[in-house]
Amino acid sequence: MLRSFRFLLWLPILIGIQHGFAQNKAVTLDIEWDQPALKGSIAVTYGAIQAIQIVKGKGKVKGDAFEITGDKGLRISVKLENVNIENGPEPAVVAVKAADGPFSFFVRDVNKDYPIYIPGYKVVVLPGADNRSYRDVELDILRRKTETKIQRINNEKETSFESAAKLTRDMSVPIWLGTSRDMRIFEISESLPDASTGEANIISPKFSSSPLKLEATKNGNVNYLYTMGRGVGVRNTLTRRLEEGVLPILNATLEDDDVEYNAAAFVALEKSPLQQQKGTDFLVADQYSGGHMFTEAQQEQLKARTPAALKTSEETVLVFRSVIENKGVVPRYAWFKIPRPGTTWWMKSKYTFDDKNGFSVYDSGKVFCVSRLNGKPLPNEEMALLLQPGEKAVIEFFLPHSPVSPERAAALAALNYDQKFQETKSFWLEKLQHAAQIEVPEKRINEMLKAGLLHLDLITFGNEPDGTLAPNIGVYSPIGTESSPIIQFYASIGKLEQAKRCLNYFLDKQHDDGFIQNFGGYMVETGAALWTMGEYFRYTGDKDWVRSVKDKLVKSCNYLIEWRNKNKRPELKGRGYGMIDGKVADPEDHFHQFMLNGYAYLGLSRVAETLKDIDAAEAKRLRMEADAWKEDIRQSFFTVMAISPVVPLGDGTWCPTVPPWTEANGLRAFYQKKETFWSHGTFTAPDALLGPLYLVFCEVLDPAEPASLNLLHYHSELFYQGNSAFSQPYYSRHNWLQARLGMVKPFLNTYYYTVSAHADRETYTFWEHMYRVSPHKTHEEAWFLMETRWMLYMENGDTLSLFRTIPRKWLEDGKVISLNGVRSYFGKLNVKATSYINKGFIEATVSGEFHSRPRTVTVRLPHPEGKEPVKVTGGIYNKNTEAVIVHEFTGEAKIRVEF
């Protein structure tokens, strides 16, 4: 037994000797290139170079530098000493500094069975005893026929919502109901299997995301519980759905054996129809939202504005009705409990129930709920009803956001439910009717587009009809980054005035020096907000608006330029020179981050573009500054890419990596230094959610250049579950890149896996994180909406690409895709594709009202079964992209693809 134990102690060492390097301090490794000539040097951290020797080729070695030529490959042997090859921080890293293809690797990663093989640089790294050539290694790896995640996805069937939903988490989300513009919100958490408060249904009145507090509850958070049916049992029999699948009217059905409870809940005004609502001052709403920040001047404005904003002439009211029906063939009992303060049975607050009028009353005398049974005052707070077969009973209650006087409660008791329901329904339908119309042949996505717009609108706070709007992002105040997809979707769907009023939020709250910062100490907002303003101009060409805000735009640009100038220090050359530093999200990482600088460059670039025809001299100055900034970012990017260790991919190749900021020597997830940074449910946030992929999105890197593709490859392998990021996946910009590159199957995989896990499958509301925190997160929802927009239409220079990454099943026989009045960089757009595939063809039409007509239009019309067309009219067919290309687009196009 003892001998066996000793053998087990030695086993890891024996395995290490067989497959790589033993855990010692001296190492020999070989590096071979399949190139005719090379000049470079070797450096090592946490170790020392003992010797460098040319093994294949001719040349010279001087210190750590080498120069070789040869016609059968080039190979050097590097002997290292005092290297740290243990697991953990401060590992030995070798940097190969070559003019063409510099790279770095962990010494401990060098392995005979899985050698470092970088085909893009035509180089392999092997243990010193491994005599295989570059081509030997290449053949060995190719014979394995392994695949990267993206390759595997491309070889599988297209992902659908149904196929993804079988494998992803199914999360319910509390629903928010309100009236739009008004910060008075009702959150409803229902008794569901994954709910944190599953004993009963909970109603939580809020000002924006801040809980309502009352003296009657000892200034504690106000919550009310209510329930229908016999209780929480072994089966979940509650289902929910929005009215017409899209409106902020919650329908819920509970099947309690033979008794069925069909409920509806919505928010209306106490007296007036919703069309007469005034909203809440954006600055006042801001102070009740999480993470808000105010300057001293803004705090003074708040003091002046708040009293009037809180003194409303009428309450918003949660209106509830449940129709209870006995579906059985014998009499059955039904049970229910109308709202009372608290979140669980043992919570006791001082209140009374008046059985004469159905009022629930705090000790203060204020009424917090008015209840009816079959149109009459409810006789008891909790009830049991015996229903005959087919008999129905109707429970209704009206719960004002803040308690009201008995006189106002009496008016509530007289409200006509059906009238309020129709008023509310008409109000929300009217909002949809004033937006562009998008119809796709997938019911869930069709509904989510409409529901999503209304979810954004629900918490975009401000005074009607023309006040500044705060595009809140769930429980949080607006953020220049996270509010950007909200505003851009408003613009895409034709809500241009609404988008402009949201932009005014960032301009109204701009600091005197031009800095824009509204949330949690984030330093990234200035650039991101300027970018979104530039996007608005692309959608509208609104020069009058630009002239009206020009001074503020320039002020913010100058702030960024001055900030950048402070970082033009010689010691930062190649490692953050000319780049600004600060944090971009919750983690306190105040570094020269690529995301921060990407957005700053993009914002500056967009303002230069916006001012081109308004102030040519200013535009030229900003363009020069932006271009120089871009070049400095690229220099630092490629410098740190060369020193960041390569990683293995699924196909046996290895890939260069890039850290999230210039101060780092590699991916933060590698733990090359002793630190702890795990947060937000993942180790991957700095690298994958806030990292260098933003440089592609922010136009610092071209999507097709090798560095961009490398970013996509190693992100997919290291940082995605399937093809979706962890924790807060809509922060990852890889699906924009996949859309831009026309990677249909990877795009759809990311699209469906992420939305099926992130959003409530019944109400379409999104969480912020995968660990169920922060409900009604409109930042996530807006990126889903923008991903859908990219799937349907996407701009690139003077080219408009239509249906670039749609599922091919959307063009099965009889199906129609329709875009009516959507906005693009070129103007208003109308597109329709109809499949007559059983008759052998698909047709599409494109037209619009363009302020800047695209030169080229591409329309992808994939056959549902992948067949190639036999005839195409209206353009030139590209077999690789399945798209018809219309060159020199005249403003209208009609395309027919025959199979």
Side-chain angles (χ1 to χ4, degrees), residues 102-126:
F103 69 99
S104 298
F105 58 90
F106 289 120
V107 177
R108 67 191 179 198
D109 284 353
V110 180
N111 185 288
K112 181 178 180 180
D113 291 341
Y114 300 97
I116 294 173
Y117 162 57
I118 312 173
Y121 297 168
K122 292 188 174 297
V123 65
V124 293
V125 183
L126 303 164

mmCIF file of all heavy atoms in Angstrom, residues 102-126:
data_model
loop_
_atom_site.group_PDB
_atom_site.id
_atom_site.type_symbol
_atom_site.label_atom_id
_atom_site.label_comp_id
_atom_site.label_asym_id
_atom_site.label_seq_id
_atom_site.Cartn_x
_atom_site.Cartn_y
_atom_site.Cartn_z
ATOM 1 N N PRO A 102 5.693 38.730 -34.298
ATOM 2 C CA PRO A 102 6.172 38.584 -32.922
ATOM 3 C C PRO A 102 5.101 37.908 -32.065
ATOM 4 O O PRO A 102 3.905 38.131 -32.273
ATOM 5 C CB PRO A 102 6.412 40.022 -32.485
ATOM 6 C CG PRO A 102 5.465 40.836 -33.316
ATOM 7 C CD PRO A 102 5.393 40.126 -34.644
ATOM 8 N N PHE A 103 5.545 37.087 -31.120
ATOM 9 C CA PHE A 103 4.579 36.404 -30.257
ATOM 10 C C PHE A 103 5.262 36.005 -28.962
ATOM 11 O O PHE A 103 6.492 36.053 -28.847
ATOM 12 C CB PHE A 103 3.994 35.171 -30.955
ATOM 13 C CG PHE A 103 4.967 34.045 -31.151
ATOM 14 C CD1 PHE A 103 4.986 32.953 -30.281
ATOM 15 C CD2 PHE A 103 5.881 34.062 -32.199
ATOM 16 C CE1 PHE A 103 5.890 31.917 -30.454
ATOM 17 C CE2 PHE A 103 6.784 33.023 -32.387
ATOM 18 C CZ PHE A 103 6.790 31.944 -31.512
ATOM 19 N N SER A 104 4.442 35.610 -27.997
ATOM 20 C CA SER A 104 4.947 35.165 -26.697
ATOM 21 C C SER A 104 4.217 33.907 -26.274
ATOM 22 O O SER A 104 3.110 33.623 -26.747
ATOM 23 C CB SER A 104 4.753 36.260 -25.638
ATOM 24 O OG SER A 104 5.487 37.427 -25.975
ATOM 25 N N PHE A 105 4.833 33.166 -25.355
ATOM 26 C CA PHE A 105 4.197 31.942 -24.874
ATOM 27 C C PHE A 105 4.684 31.635 -23.467
ATOM 28 O O PHE A 105 5.785 32.046 -23.064
ATOM 29 C CB PHE A 105 4.489 30.761 -25.808
ATOM 30 C CG PHE A 105 5.950 30.465 -26.002
ATOM 31 C CD1 PHE A 105 6.637 29.583 -25.155
ATOM 32 C CD2 PHE A 105 6.652 31.053 -27.043
ATOM 33 C CE1 PHE A 105 7.976 29.307 -25.341
ATOM 34 C CE2 PHE A 105 8.002 30.787 -27.234
ATOM 35 C CZ PHE A 105 8.672 29.915 -26.387
ATOM 36 N N PHE A 106 3.835 30.933 -22.726
ATOM 37 C CA PHE A 106 4.240 30.421 -21.422
ATOM 38 C C PHE A 106 5.189 29.242 -21.638
ATOM 39 O O PHE A 106 4.874 28.320 -22.409
ATOM 40 C CB PHE A 106 3.029 29.937 -20.626
ATOM 41 C CG PHE A 106 2.118 31.022 -20.134
ATOM 42 C CD1 PHE A 106 0.791 31.060 -20.526
ATOM 43 C CD2 PHE A 106 2.588 31.999 -19.281
ATOM 44 C CE1 PHE A 106 -0.060 32.053 -20.072
ATOM 45 C CE2 PHE A 106 1.754 32.995 -18.813
ATOM 46 C CZ PHE A 106 0.426 33.030 -19.219
ATOM 47 N N VAL A 107 6.322 29.248 -20.956
ATOM 48 C CA VAL A 107 7.253 28.126 -21.071
ATOM 49 C C VAL A 107 6.580 26.829 -20.630
ATOM 50 O O VAL A 107 6.780 25.771 -21.226
ATOM 51 C CB VAL A 107 8.519 28.403 -20.246
ATOM 52 C CG1 VAL A 107 9.468 27.202 -20.288
ATOM 53 C CG2 VAL A 107 9.230 29.647 -20.768
ATOM 54 N N ARG A 108 5.746 26.903 -19.618
ATOM 55 C CA ARG A 108 5.080 25.706 -19.108
ATOM 56 C C ARG A 108 4.070 25.128 -20.101
ATOM 57 O O ARG A 108 3.609 24.003 -19.943
ATOM 58 C CB ARG A 108 4.391 26.013 -17.780
ATOM 59 C CG ARG A 108 3.218 26.979 -17.882
ATOM 60 C CD ARG A 108 2.739 27.442 -16.526
ATOM 61 N NE ARG A 108 1.622 28.391 -16.624
ATOM 62 C CZ ARG A 108 1.250 29.201 -15.643
ATOM 63 N NH1 ARG A 108 1.900 29.191 -14.483
ATOM 64 N NH2 ARG A 108 0.234 30.027 -15.803
ATOM 65 N N ASP A 109 3.715 25.902 -21.128
ATOM 66 C CA ASP A 109 2.750 25.407 -22.118
ATOM 67 C C ASP A 109 3.404 24.579 -23.218
ATOM 68 O O ASP A 109 2.696 23.925 -23.997
ATOM 69 C CB ASP A 109 2.011 26.578 -22.775
ATOM 70 C CG ASP A 109 0.945 27.185 -21.872
ATOM 71 O OD1 ASP A 109 0.691 26.611 -20.796
ATOM 72 O OD2 ASP A 109 0.383 28.230 -22.250
ATOM 73 N N VAL A 110 4.735 24.606 -23.331
ATOM 74 C CA VAL A 110 5.406 23.894 -24.416
ATOM 75 C C VAL A 110 5.299 22.394 -24.162
ATOM 76 O O VAL A 110 5.701 21.890 -23.114
ATOM 77 C CB VAL A 110 6.875 24.330 -24.526
ATOM 78 C CG1 VAL A 110 7.566 23.572 -25.661
ATOM 79 C CG2 VAL A 110 6.967 25.831 -24.765
ATOM 80 N N ASN A 111 4.741 21.673 -25.138
ATOM 81 C CA ASN A 111 4.335 20.295 -24.915
ATOM 82 C C ASN A 111 4.482 19.511 -26.209
ATOM 83 O O ASN A 111 4.104 19.988 -27.279
ATOM 84 C CB ASN A 111 2.872 20.289 -24.420
ATOM 85 C CG ASN A 111 2.360 18.935 -24.041
ATOM 86 O OD1 ASN A 111 2.124 18.101 -24.907
ATOM 87 N ND2 ASN A 111 2.162 18.728 -22.754
ATOM 88 N N LYS A 112 5.027 18.300 -26.128
ATOM 89 C CA LYS A 112 5.247 17.489 -27.326
ATOM 90 C C LYS A 112 3.933 17.079 -27.979
ATOM 91 O O LYS A 112 3.798 17.115 -29.208
ATOM 92 C CB LYS A 112 6.057 16.244 -26.973
ATOM 93 C CG LYS A 112 6.345 15.343 -28.171
ATOM 94 C CD LYS A 112 7.195 14.149 -27.794
ATOM 95 C CE LYS A 112 7.465 13.271 -29.021
ATOM 96 N NZ LYS A 112 8.302 12.104 -28.686
ATOM 97 N N ASP A 113 2.962 16.646 -27.174
ATOM 98 C CA ASP A 113 1.699 16.163 -27.731
ATOM 99 C C ASP A 113 0.846 17.285 -28.314
ATOM 100 O O ASP A 113 0.093 17.067 -29.267
ATOM 101 C CB ASP A 113 0.911 15.413 -26.662
ATOM 102 C CG ASP A 113 1.568 14.093 -26.292
ATOM 103 O OD1 ASP A 113 2.400 13.613 -27.089
ATOM 104 O OD2 ASP A 113 1.267 13.554 -25.214
ATOM 105 N N TYR A 114 0.940 18.461 -27.710
ATOM 106 C CA TYR A 114 0.136 19.594 -28.172
ATOM 107 C C TYR A 114 1.056 20.811 -28.362
ATOM 108 O O TYR A 114 1.011 21.776 -27.603
ATOM 109 C CB TYR A 114 -0.982 19.898 -27.180
ATOM 110 C CG TYR A 114 -1.912 18.714 -27.000
ATOM 111 C CD1 TYR A 114 -1.752 17.834 -25.927
ATOM 112 C CD2 TYR A 114 -2.910 18.442 -27.926
ATOM 113 C CE1 TYR A 114 -2.588 16.719 -25.779
ATOM 114 C CE2 TYR A 114 -3.741 17.342 -27.792
ATOM 115 C CZ TYR A 114 -3.567 16.487 -26.719
ATOM 116 O OH TYR A 114 -4.396 15.390 -26.587
ATOM 117 N N PRO A 115 1.909 20.743 -29.368
ATOM 118 C CA PRO A 115 2.901 21.805 -29.566
ATOM 119 C C PRO A 115 2.245 23.134 -29.924
ATOM 120 O O PRO A 115 1.134 23.185 -30.443
ATOM 121 C CB PRO A 115 3.741 21.275 -30.737
ATOM 122 C CG PRO A 115 2.835 20.345 -31.464
ATOM 123 C CD PRO A 115 1.971 19.712 -30.418
ATOM 124 N N ILE A 116 2.980 24.198 -29.640
ATOM 125 C CA ILE A 116 2.510 25.527 -30.021
ATOM 126 C C ILE A 116 2.700 25.673 -31.533
ATOM 127 O O ILE A 116 3.829 25.632 -32.032
ATOM 128 C CB ILE A 116 3.273 26.614 -29.245
ATOM 129 C CG1 ILE A 116 2.943 26.517 -27.753
ATOM 130 C CG2 ILE A 116 2.947 28.006 -29.797
ATOM 131 C CD1 ILE A 116 3.776 27.431 -26.872
ATOM 132 N N TYR A 117 1.606 25.813 -32.232
ATOM 133 C CA TYR A 117 1.591 25.840 -33.701
ATOM 134 C C TYR A 117 0.766 27.048 -34.129
ATOM 135 O O TYR A 117 -0.444 27.098 -33.901
ATOM 136 C CB TYR A 117 1.000 24.524 -34.221
ATOM 137 C CG TYR A 117 0.525 24.523 -35.650
ATOM 138 C CD1 TYR A 117 1.374 24.857 -36.704
ATOM 139 C CD2 TYR A 117 -0.785 24.157 -35.959
ATOM 140 C CE1 TYR A 117 0.931 24.829 -38.019
ATOM 141 C CE2 TYR A 117 -1.247 24.119 -37.273
ATOM 142 C CZ TYR A 117 -0.389 24.463 -38.297
ATOM 143 O OH TYR A 117 -0.827 24.439 -39.597
ATOM 144 N N ILE A 118 1.446 28.038 -34.734
ATOM 145 C CA ILE A 118 0.788 29.277 -35.144
ATOM 146 C C ILE A 118 0.910 29.396 -36.658
ATOM 147 O O ILE A 118 1.897 29.944 -37.173
ATOM 148 C CB ILE A 118 1.414 30.502 -34.440
ATOM 149 C CG1 ILE A 118 1.552 30.253 -32.940
ATOM 150 C CG2 ILE A 118 0.574 31.752 -34.698
ATOM 151 C CD1 ILE A 118 2.305 31.345 -32.202
ATOM 152 N N PRO A 119 -0.063 28.880 -37.399
ATOM 153 C CA PRO A 119 0.066 28.886 -38.870
ATOM 154 C C PRO A 119 0.118 30.288 -39.465
ATOM 155 O O PRO A 119 0.727 30.495 -40.512
ATOM 156 C CB PRO A 119 -1.171 28.106 -39.331
ATOM 157 C CG PRO A 119 -2.127 28.144 -38.184
ATOM 158 C CD PRO A 119 -1.295 28.203 -36.948
ATOM 159 N N GLY A 120 -0.525 31.256 -38.809
ATOM 160 C CA GLY A 120 -0.485 32.622 -39.325
ATOM 161 C C GLY A 120 0.913 33.193 -39.351
ATOM 162 O O GLY A 120 1.240 34.049 -40.181
ATOM 163 N N TYR A 121 1.771 32.730 -38.446
ATOM 164 C CA TYR A 121 3.159 33.183 -38.389
ATOM 165 C C TYR A 121 4.114 32.122 -38.937
ATOM 166 O O TYR A 121 5.334 32.328 -38.938
ATOM 167 C CB TYR A 121 3.561 33.509 -36.961
ATOM 168 C CG TYR A 121 2.793 34.649 -36.324
ATOM 169 C CD1 TYR A 121 2.884 34.882 -34.955
ATOM 170 C CD2 TYR A 121 1.994 35.507 -37.082
ATOM 171 C CE1 TYR A 121 2.190 35.920 -34.353
ATOM 172 C CE2 TYR A 121 1.296 36.543 -36.491
ATOM 173 C CZ TYR A 121 1.402 36.747 -35.123
ATOM 174 O OH TYR A 121 0.719 37.774 -34.528
ATOM 175 N N LYS A 122 3.568 30.945 -39.308
ATOM 176 C CA LYS A 122 4.370 29.813 -39.801
ATOM 177 C C LYS A 122 5.470 29.433 -38.812
ATOM 178 O O LYS A 122 6.661 29.342 -39.168
ATOM 179 C CB LYS A 122 4.958 30.129 -41.177
ATOM 180 C CG LYS A 122 3.907 30.228 -42.283
ATOM 181 C CD LYS A 122 4.551 30.358 -43.649
ATOM 182 C CE LYS A 122 3.493 30.318 -44.763
ATOM 183 N NZ LYS A 122 2.786 29.021 -44.798
ATOM 184 N N VAL A 123 5.064 29.199 -37.555
ATOM 185 C CA VAL A 123 6.038 28.893 -36.520
ATOM 186 C C VAL A 123 5.497 27.820 -35.583
ATOM 187 O O VAL A 123 4.268 27.730 -35.372
ATOM 188 C CB VAL A 123 6.411 30.168 -35.724
ATOM 189 C CG1 VAL A 123 5.208 30.717 -34.956
ATOM 190 C CG2 VAL A 123 7.570 29.917 -34.772
ATOM 191 N N VAL A 124 6.386 26.980 -35.061
ATOM 192 C CA VAL A 124 6.050 26.017 -34.012
ATOM 193 C C VAL A 124 7.065 26.144 -32.888
ATOM 194 O O VAL A 124 8.216 26.542 -33.114
ATOM 195 C CB VAL A 124 6.033 24.562 -34.529
ATOM 196 C CG1 VAL A 124 4.906 24.345 -35.523
ATOM 197 C CG2 VAL A 124 7.371 24.167 -35.121
ATOM 198 N N VAL A 125 6.635 25.806 -31.686
ATOM 199 C CA VAL A 125 7.518 25.763 -30.524
ATOM 200 C C VAL A 125 7.428 24.371 -29.932
ATOM 201 O O VAL A 125 6.322 23.869 -29.657
ATOM 202 C CB VAL A 125 7.128 26.821 -29.470
ATOM 203 C CG1 VAL A 125 8.118 26.780 -28.302
ATOM 204 C CG2 VAL A 125 7.085 28.211 -30.071
ATOM 205 N N LEU A 126 8.594 23.726 -29.724
ATOM 206 C CA LEU A 126 8.649 22.327 -29.306
ATOM 207 C C LEU A 126 9.609 22.152 -28.142
ATOM 208 O O LEU A 126 10.562 22.943 -27.983
ATOM 209 C CB LEU A 126 9.117 21.454 -30.472
ATOM 210 C CG LEU A 126 8.297 21.508 -31.758
ATOM 211 C CD1 LEU A 126 9.083 20.927 -32.907
ATOM 212 C CD2 LEU A 126 6.986 20.761 -31.572
#
